[in-house]
Amino acid sequence: MARINANYQKLPGSYLFSEIARRVAAFHEEHPGANIIRLGIGDVTQPLPRACIEAMHKAVDEMAEKETFRGYGPEQGYAFLREAILQHNYTSRGIALSADEIFVSDGSKSDCGNIQEIFSVDNRIAIADPVYPVYLDTNVMAGRTGSLGSNGRFSGVTYLPCTDENDFAPMLPKERVDMIYLCSPNNPTGTTLSREELAKWVAYARENASVILFDAAYAAYITEEDVPRSIYEIEGAKDVAIEFRSFSKTAGFTGTRCGYTVVPKTVAGRGAEGETVPLHGLWNRRHTTKFNGTPYIVQRGAAAIYTEEGQRQVRETIAYYMENARLIREGLQKVGLTAYGGVNAPYIWLKTPTPSWDFFDRLLGEAHVVGTPGAGFGPCGENYFRLTSFGDREQTKEAMERICRCF
Ligand code: MLT
């Protein structure tokens, strides 16, 4: 019999959002008439921007003609999209990168999960607690985390607690770590890291020859001027950081799938003989071996968000979700619940009066509203709960009325 990757057996339960879906399905079966409002997984509800739809229609037509048909594209993405990303998200903000440092993919979840493959299993990782579960789970699968203790923590991982006591900003670890996962705007807390905070991490990474894996999937939701959109706004970051971005939340591509990862040619790791090895080449090797490129039609759609009308439409949709965020935050505060986030991020992180899974059951049972229990994101998420602002406006209002009635 083939032996399995026993690291998978170290994973507790099922993937967080699968577990929530299972519980909601069970509740629905018992209460078929209940009108359940889902503010759990961060899935968007507004349609793709018109500009993307038009570009995709055009691309579909191109596929119908021999002269314009496309088969395999470049695994790293078409130049038209890489150039547009470079121009709009980096060059325009004074960040000097080149288009071939951008790798287009089928979304940042895959990239955040796969990036660890190019690092040694002996590396020590640091993750925030609470954290987007993909960072930890993929490292568990790879065998980089040791075993799970009764405190809900893996023995070989450096956890960086993020609670209201430190304004959800992780402190530098006492021990040396090799790979540091940071997420800003943060999923799940909805908070952001300031320029000073990020500069602290970049300095740490430079001093300790560590690599920062910076997840900026929600950058488009930043409303405050002085909050960094990219880690490369911090001096020196180009030598130590990889950045992940997504079209999912920016432009409604959760089902259409498109994201990208920036691997500057200056970021390096150490080889078996102690030599310096640029990570760009390794990621390129991985990407070209295991991935055959995001569909042409999807990349055309993604590129359309950088047109003038695409930009306007994206701004409108984001404003719609951020108004939901305001309604949620203020609604919670009105009934005396403490809420964070929702200003530069589509997530609202609230303090629960009871353990977070109990709160989940209560909200589902009494208000028929689904959220995400903080404990699912790590031990420090206990007594917190996440609501997403990606719902439909009427449903969000209805959910808040029901939640307010509960409390
Ligand atoms: C979330 O709800 O945390 C996200 O939707 C999950 C994801 O982006 O994979």
Side-chain angles (χ1 to χ4, degrees):
M1 217 184 254
R3 277 177 294 130
I4 59 154
N5 176 352
N7 294 316
Y8 275 67
Q9 292 175 304
K10 297 180 187 167
L11 290 165
S14 44
Y15 182 59
L16 173 60
F17 294 106
S18 313
E19 173 61 17
I20 290 173
R22 191 191 64 73
R23 289 190 187 211
V24 174
F27 181 84
H28 185 64
E29 203 165 309
E30 269 174 47
H31 307 86
N35 170 14
I36 299 171
I37 300 179
R38 290 173 167 79
L39 302 181
I41 191 166
D43 196 5
V44 295
T45 52
Q46 297 307 295
L48 290 167
R50 216 44 242 166
C52 300
I53 294 293
E54 280 160 18
M56 286 197 271
H57 275 296
K58 198 161 160 257
V60 169
D61 287 341
E62 286 179 55
M63 292 304 227
E65 304 298 331
K66 194 160 192 299
E67 294 68 36
T68 46
F69 169 78
R70 312 267 179 147
Y72 291 131
E75 293 93 342
Q76 303 88 342
Y78 284 99
F80 64 79
L81 179 55
R82 297 170 96 191
E83 293 288 350
I85 292 167
L86 179 70
Q87 181 50 38
H88 284 84
N89 292 339
Y90 298 104
T91 314
S92 67
R93 295 188 70 82
I95 297 165
L97 286 167
S98 62
D100 64 354
E101 293 176 307
I102 296 168
F103 293 83
V104 176
S105 71
D106 65 349
S108 63
K109 178 179 181 176
S110 324
D111 289 352
C112 286
N114 292 328
I115 195 73
Q116 47 77 29
E117 278 186 31
I118 64 169
F119 294 94
S120 163
V121 284
D122 300 336
N123 279 347
R124 188 165 184 97
I125 66 159
I127 54 162
D129 174 13
V131 74
Y132 178 41
V134 172
Y135 315 147
L136 178 63
D137 288 4
T138 52
N139 277 285
V140 175
M141 291 169 180
R144 202 175 280 111
T145 57
S147 49
L148 185 61
S150 54
N151 59 356
R153 292 188 159 178
F154 283 89
S155 54
V157 173
T158 297
Y159 289 86
L160 311 168
C162 294
T163 62
D164 53 352
E165 280 164 31
N166 59 7
D167 291 328
F168 305 100
M171 304 223 307
L172 296 178
K174 292 198 178 67
E175 69 270 23
R176 194 192 158 272
V177 296
D178 301 289
M179 297 154 60
I180 303 153
Y181 288 84
L182 294 178
C183 178
S184 179
N186 191 264
N187 178 11
T189 66
T191 53
T192 49
L193 293 174
S194 67
R195 211 165 284 282
E196 294 68 35
E197 291 289 341
L198 281 182
K200 213 171 69 182
W201 281 101
V202 168
Y204 174 92
R206 293 180 70 89
E207 269 159 39
N208 291 279
S210 323
V211 174
I212 297 174
L213 303 166
F214 189 71
D215 186 352
Y218 299 92
Y221 286 82
I222 298 174
T223 57
E224 292 175 326
E225 228 4 82
D226 55 339
V227 177
R229 271 67 174 163
S230 164
I231 191 150
Y232 304 122
E233 290 179 36
I234 310 300
E235 208 184 319
K238 255 171 44 182
D239 299 333
V240 291
I242 290 175
E243 178 165 295
F244 306 95
R245 295 265 194 127
S246 169
F247 291 94
S248 290
K249 318 297 161 88
T250 308
F253 277 61
T254 51
T256 315
R257 309 306 307 151
C258 194
Y260 60 94
T261 290
V262 182
V263 188
K265 291 184 187 140
T266 39
V267 186
R270 192 159 37 83
E273 310 298 325
E275 75 281 21
T276 298
V277 182
L279 299 183
H280 183 273
L282 299 188
W283 185 244
N284 190 53
R285 185 69 169 87
R286 191 231 167 251
H287 206 64
T288 49
T289 305
K290 295 198 173 182
F291 186 64
N292 250 344
T294 306
Y296 172 71
I297 299 164
V298 172
Q299 291 192 57
R300 276 291 176 203
I305 79 159
Y306 298 116
T307 60
E308 212 176 298
E309 45 163 9
Q311 288 288 282
R312 187 178 40 77
Q313 291 159 0
V314 162
R315 272 198 301 273
E316 276 168 19
T317 307
I318 290 177
Y320 175 95
Y321 291 135
M322 291 310 279
E323 173 60 11
N324 285 352
R326 188 188 66 77
L327 291 171
I328 296 173
R329 210 180 50 246
E330 291 181 4
L332 293 170
Q333 285 162 349
K334 232 185 289 165
V335 290
L337 290 167
T338 308
Y340 305 91
V343 175
N344 293 309
Y347 294 124
I348 290 90
W349 188 239
L350 60 122
K351 271 201 118 144
T352 57
T354 52
S356 60
W357 277 107
D358 293 354
F359 190 83
F360 172 89
D361 289 334
R362 178 170 173 201
L363 223 56
L364 181 57
E366 292 179 23
H368 301 172
V369 172
V370 182
T372 309
F377 296 101
C380 286
E382 185 55 285
N383 291 111
Y384 288 95
F385 197 78
R386 193 192 79 174
L387 290 171
T388 131
S389 68
F390 287 124
D392 161 85
R393 175 69 44 75
E394 289 314 310
Q395 291 233 315
T396 302
K397 282 186 182 162
E398 168 75 21
M400 291 321 294
E401 275 165 27
R402 293 190 203 165
I403 292 174
C404 290
R405 277 200 296 274
C406 262
F407 293 92

Coordinates of all heavy atoms in Angstrom, one line a residue, residues 15 17 40-43 109 132 187 218 249 347 386, ligand 1:
Y15 N -10.9 22.2 6.6 CA -10.6 23.6 6.3 C -11.7 24.4 6.9 O -12.9 24.1 6.8 CB -10.5 23.7 4.8 CG -10.1 25.1 4.4 CD1 -9.0 25.7 4.9 CD2 -11.0 25.9 3.6 CE1 -8.6 27.0 4.5 CE2 -10.6 27.2 3.2 CZ -9.5 27.7 3.7 OH -9.1 29.0 3.3
F17 N -13.5 27.0 6.3 CA -14.8 27.4 5.6 C -15.6 26.2 5.1 O -16.8 26.3 4.9 CB -14.5 28.4 4.4 CG -13.9 29.7 4.9 CD1 -12.6 30.0 4.8 CD2 -14.8 30.6 5.6 CE1 -12.1 31.2 5.3 CE2 -14.3 31.7 6.1 CZ -12.9 32.1 6.0
G40 N -20.3 34.9 6.2 CA -19.2 34.1 6.7 C -18.0 34.2 5.7 O -17.2 35.1 5.8
I41 N -17.9 33.3 4.8 CA -16.7 33.3 3.9 C -16.8 34.6 3.1 O -17.9 35.1 2.7 CB -16.7 32.1 2.9 CG1 -15.4 32.0 2.1 CG2 -17.9 32.1 2.0 CD1 -15.2 30.7 1.4
G42 N -15.6 35.2 2.8 CA -15.5 36.5 2.1 C -15.8 36.3 0.6 O -14.9 36.6 -0.2
D43 N -17.0 35.9 0.3 CA -17.3 35.8 -1.2 C -18.1 37.0 -1.6 O -19.1 37.4 -0.9 CB -18.0 34.5 -1.4 CG -18.0 34.1 -2.9 OD1 -17.3 34.9 -3.7 OD2 -18.6 33.2 -3.3
K109 N -4.9 32.8 -3.2 CA -5.0 31.6 -2.3 C -4.0 30.6 -2.7 O -3.2 30.1 -1.9 CB -6.4 31.1 -2.2 CG -6.5 29.9 -1.3 CD -7.9 29.3 -1.3 CE -8.1 28.2 -0.3 NZ -9.4 27.7 -0.2
Y132 N -5.2 34.0 8.4 CA -5.8 33.3 7.3 C -5.3 31.9 7.3 O -4.1 31.7 7.2 CB -5.4 34.1 6.0 CG -6.0 33.5 4.7 CD1 -7.2 33.0 4.6 CD2 -5.1 33.5 3.6 CE1 -7.7 32.6 3.4 CE2 -5.6 33.1 2.4 CZ -6.9 32.6 2.3 OH -7.3 32.1 1.1
N187 N -6.8 39.9 7.1 CA -7.9 38.9 7.2 C -7.4 38.0 8.3 O -6.4 37.4 8.2 CB -7.9 38.1 5.8 CG -9.0 37.0 5.9 OD1 -9.8 37.0 6.8 ND2 -9.0 36.1 4.9
Y218 N -6.3 42.5 -0.1 CA -7.4 43.5 0.2 C -6.9 44.9 0.0 O -7.6 45.8 0.5 CB -7.9 43.2 1.6 CG -8.5 41.8 1.7 CD1 -7.7 40.8 2.2 CD2 -9.8 41.5 1.3 CE1 -8.2 39.5 2.3 CE2 -10.3 40.3 1.4 CZ -9.5 39.2 1.9 OH -10.0 38.0 1.9
K249 N -11.3 40.1 -4.7 CA -12.0 41.0 -3.9 C -12.0 42.4 -4.5 O -12.8 43.2 -4.3 CB -11.5 41.1 -2.4 CG -11.1 39.7 -1.9 CD -12.4 38.8 -1.7 CE -12.0 37.3 -1.6 NZ -11.8 36.8 -0.3
Y347 N -13.6 43.4 6.2 CA -14.0 42.6 7.4 C -14.2 43.4 8.6 O -13.4 44.3 8.9 CB -12.9 41.5 7.6 CG -12.8 40.5 6.4 CD1 -11.5 40.3 5.8 CD2 -13.9 39.8 6.0 CE1 -11.4 39.5 4.7 CE2 -13.8 38.9 4.9 CZ -12.6 38.8 4.3 OH -12.5 37.9 3.2
R386 N -15.8 37.1 13.0 CA -15.7 37.9 11.8 C -17.0 38.0 11.0 O -17.6 37.0 10.7 CB -14.6 37.3 10.9 CG -14.1 38.3 9.8 CD -13.2 37.6 8.8 NE -14.0 36.8 7.9 CZ -13.5 36.2 6.8 NH1 -12.2 36.2 6.6 NH2 -14.3 35.5 6.0
Ligands
MLT1 C1 -12.1 34.4 3.5 O1 -13.3 34.4 3.7 O2 -11.2 34.5 4.4 C2 -11.7 34.4 2.1 O3 -12.7 34.5 1.2 C3 -11.0 33.1 1.8 C4 -10.2 33.2 0.6 O4 -10.0 34.3 0.0 O5 -9.7 32.2 0.2

